[in-house]
Amino acid sequence: MNTAKTIKKSYKFRIYPTKAQTKTLEMTLDLCRELYNAALQERRDAWKLERKSISLYDQQNQLPKIKKIREDLNSVYSQVLREPLRSLDNAFSSFFSRVKKGEKAGFPRFKSQNRFNSFCYPQSGFDLVENNLKLSKIGKIKIKLSRNIVGKIKTCTIKREIDKWFVFFVVETKGEPLPKTGKEIGLDVGLENFVTLSDGMQINNSRYLETAQKQLRKAQRRVSRRKKGSHGRRKAVLQVKKIHQKIRNQRADFQHKLSTNLIKNYDLIAIEKLNIRGMSKGIFSKQINDVAWSNFFNMLRYKAESADKKLVEVNPNGTSQICICGERVEKDLSIRVHHCQKCGLKENRDIVSAKVILERALGQSVKTQT
Ligand SMILES: [Zn+2]
């Protein structure tokens, strides 16, 4: 029996452009960014001066005319050139939908060189030939294919990460169902431990983060000691960026391993629905964790789909203030042990929360507090 669904999967590989190719890649980024900013300017002006809104269609239709005047734009593959307009359109759509929902929304902003790091071939113009990535209008760039690509490549995105270049392929493929284990687990996320499992296991990510934080503080001090505008300062700033990138990579790696493990070992994984709207508030370390959890939940989501496992998101209300027997056990954050007067359960509060989350997912006794 093969009930595998079609899923989307993303691959990331390092590419090694020559000096000349790096120049071309950078020029492509610059032209795409210029187009993005110009298109944003046009939309802003039209709105300010005439209360008129300009569509993606309008802007894409102008491209041939613009290319006649600005011949340098012809050095970019035509579909690549359309993408910044599309991503601007997406930025506007999500801006308007946030406004509509009454949420805080920032108007789409102009992008500086630092904030514009990728361009995309949305369907064609790229090819893999042996150890090379062939890009239309750019050339053959050496690529390190560190794993096999399974499925059909749909899009190809070139991205600069500080001083290195990568390619991201989005691939359409059949899911790969994993053998059933007959086991279920609940997950509680917290500040003390990254996740606590309902079987009592607590998983922490602080070890590598602490090491990196130390390096980061050192590098930041170096920046502040250097004179503004000096070569030494630019070098120190680059070092800070590299450490940030390293932390991002380590975190992603940690989350990939953990999510793969959970999907392999359990048929059903219960998590709390994250409160995205509450995310922007709160203390700084919590903000970072909010992003980390939502990335982690996304990984669980697509891996569960591919492996034909279940990810159940439950209502988060009161999961830390109730016992698995259904009794309300109120406790503020300083109280780490849950002690239920009714059934006598005495256990680490996060483990109890993870159990409550699992029970809710299984649709059992523990009621939702509102
Ligand atoms: Zn109880």
Side-chain angles (χ1 to χ4, degrees):
M1 183 184 69
N2 189 1
T3 52
K5 291 178 237 170
T6 304
I7 54 154
K8 278 190 179 150
K9 209 169 163 179
S10 170
Y11 292 85
K12 175 184 184 181
F13 301 108
R14 174 106 187 254
I15 54 174
Y16 300 85
T18 61
K19 267 201 182 139
Q21 286 171 335
T22 303
K23 278 228 167 91
T24 315
L25 293 175
E26 274 165 357
M27 184 201 68
T28 307
L29 275 182
D30 280 343
L31 290 173
C32 286
R33 183 170 61 92
E34 191 192 343
L35 201 60
Y36 182 95
N37 286 337
L40 172 56
Q41 183 75 56
E42 188 189 26
R43 288 198 188 213
R44 286 174 84 133
D45 289 348
W47 184 251
K48 249 198 235 157
L49 305 174
E50 305 171 64
R51 284 284 176 267
K52 212 176 91 181
S53 72
I54 293 179
S55 71
L56 171 64
Y57 184 78
D58 293 334
Q59 295 198 314
Q60 284 189 336
N61 275 345
Q62 292 179 57
L63 273 179
K65 238 202 283 172
I66 296 171
K67 278 160 96 174
K68 269 188 197 138
I69 305 165
R70 281 286 304 271
E71 283 184 6
D72 54 341
L73 289 175
N74 288 301
S75 62
V76 180
Y77 189 64
S78 62
Q79 286 183 2
V80 170
L81 217 46
R82 295 163 80 95
E83 283 305 291
L85 302 179
R86 195 197 307 272
S87 80
L88 177 69
D89 192 56
N90 290 340
F92 269 94
S93 303
S94 68
F95 167 71
F96 286 128
S97 90
R98 269 175 284 149
V99 170
K100 223 168 151 189
K101 279 190 239 157
E103 292 171 27
K104 236 176 101 181
F107 196 81
R109 292 209 279 177
F110 293 105
K111 300 227 177 173
S112 67
Q113 215 166 21
N114 277 334
R115 303 233 160 229
F116 200 96
N117 288 304
S118 66
F119 61 89
C120 174
Y121 290 78
Q123 29 180 265
S124 63
F126 58 91
D127 201 4
L128 278 170
V129 186
E130 283 163 22
N131 290 318
N132 290 297
L133 172 65
K134 232 171 98 183
L135 295 176
S136 180
K137 304 265 184 181
I138 291 170
K140 270 201 226 169
I141 301 177
K142 219 178 102 198
I143 183 172
K144 193 174 159 202
L145 286 171
S146 42
R147 54 189 179 131
N148 277 336
I149 301 173
V150 183
K152 194 175 180 318
I153 302 177
K154 305 299 269 188
T155 70
C156 164
T157 300
I158 308 296
K159 191 173 176 214
R160 175 178 61 194
E161 289 182 0
I162 308 170
D163 55 352
K164 297 190 178 79
W165 292 85
F166 295 89
V167 59
F168 291 77
F169 294 122
V170 172
V171 164
E172 238 174 45
T173 180
K174 287 261 180 271
E176 292 163 49
L178 285 173
K180 297 283 185 274
T181 61
K183 290 196 290 183
E184 292 127 0
I185 196 94
L187 257 68
D188 180 52
V189 295
L191 288 176
E192 211 169 308
N193 289 287
F194 183 68
V195 287
T196 297
L197 306 185
S198 53
D199 67 359
M201 196 196 271
Q202 302 200 291
I203 299 156
N204 209 316
N205 61 1
S206 65
R207 192 177 45 81
Y208 73 80
L209 280 181
E210 266 168 30
T211 319
Q213 294 297 346
K214 252 184 235 155
Q215 291 177 329
L216 194 58
R217 274 193 296 273
K218 229 170 121 187
Q220 275 159 344
R221 275 199 300 273
R222 207 174 301 133
V223 171
S224 56
R225 280 201 305 268
R226 302 277 189 265
K227 242 204 345 236
K228 269 188 188 150
S230 69
H231 174 69
R233 189 181 172 105
R234 270 197 300 279
K235 246 176 90 177
V237 168
L238 183 68
Q239 200 53 38
V240 169
K241 283 188 189 169
K242 280 187 176 172
I243 296 171
H244 274 298
Q245 186 64 45
K246 195 173 138 198
I247 295 174
R248 275 196 291 276
N249 290 344
Q250 281 177 330
R251 180 181 287 134
D253 192 50
F254 164 81
Q255 293 180 358
H256 267 301
K257 282 184 184 140
L258 181 57
S259 53
T260 299
N261 242 313
L262 289 167
I263 296 293
K264 215 188 271 173
N265 285 309
Y266 300 97
D267 294 347
L268 180 147
I269 296 166
I271 57 173
E272 278 182 331
K273 196 169 267 163
L274 280 184
N275 180 5
I276 306 283
R277 284 185 69 178
M279 273 192 164
S280 51
K281 293 173 216 130
I283 53 172
F284 184 62
S285 69
K286 176 148 187 323
Q287 288 177 33
I288 297 173
N289 275 298
D290 282 341
V291 176
W293 293 324
S294 94
N295 282 343
F296 177 61
F297 285 1
N298 276 338
M299 285 180 189
L300 282 174
R301 206 166 285 129
Y302 78 76
K303 286 180 187 182
E305 200 190 353
S306 169
D308 196 25
K309 301 285 182 98
K310 260 199 193 119
L311 183 75
V312 182
E313 294 178 62
V314 306
N315 184 330
N317 283 332
T319 49
S320 62
Q321 306 296 328
I322 198 164
C323 183
I324 28 184
C325 73
E327 182 74 0
R328 224 179 135 69
V329 181
E330 287 189 36
K331 48 197 175 289
D332 63 43
L333 268 173
S334 66
I335 298 166
R336 302 307 307 164
V337 177
H338 165 104
H339 191 181
C340 175
Q341 300 301 327
K342 197 178 167 204
C343 72
L345 177 69
K346 198 173 176 184
E347 206 169 18
N348 173 300
R349 64 176 290 154
D350 296 337
I351 298 174
V352 176
S353 294
K355 284 180 176 168
V356 169
I357 290 165
L358 177 58
E359 298 283 300
R360 263 189 202 168
L362 298 173
Q364 291 172 8
S365 59
V366 187
K367 44 183 190 253
T368 302
Q369 304 272 312
T370 43

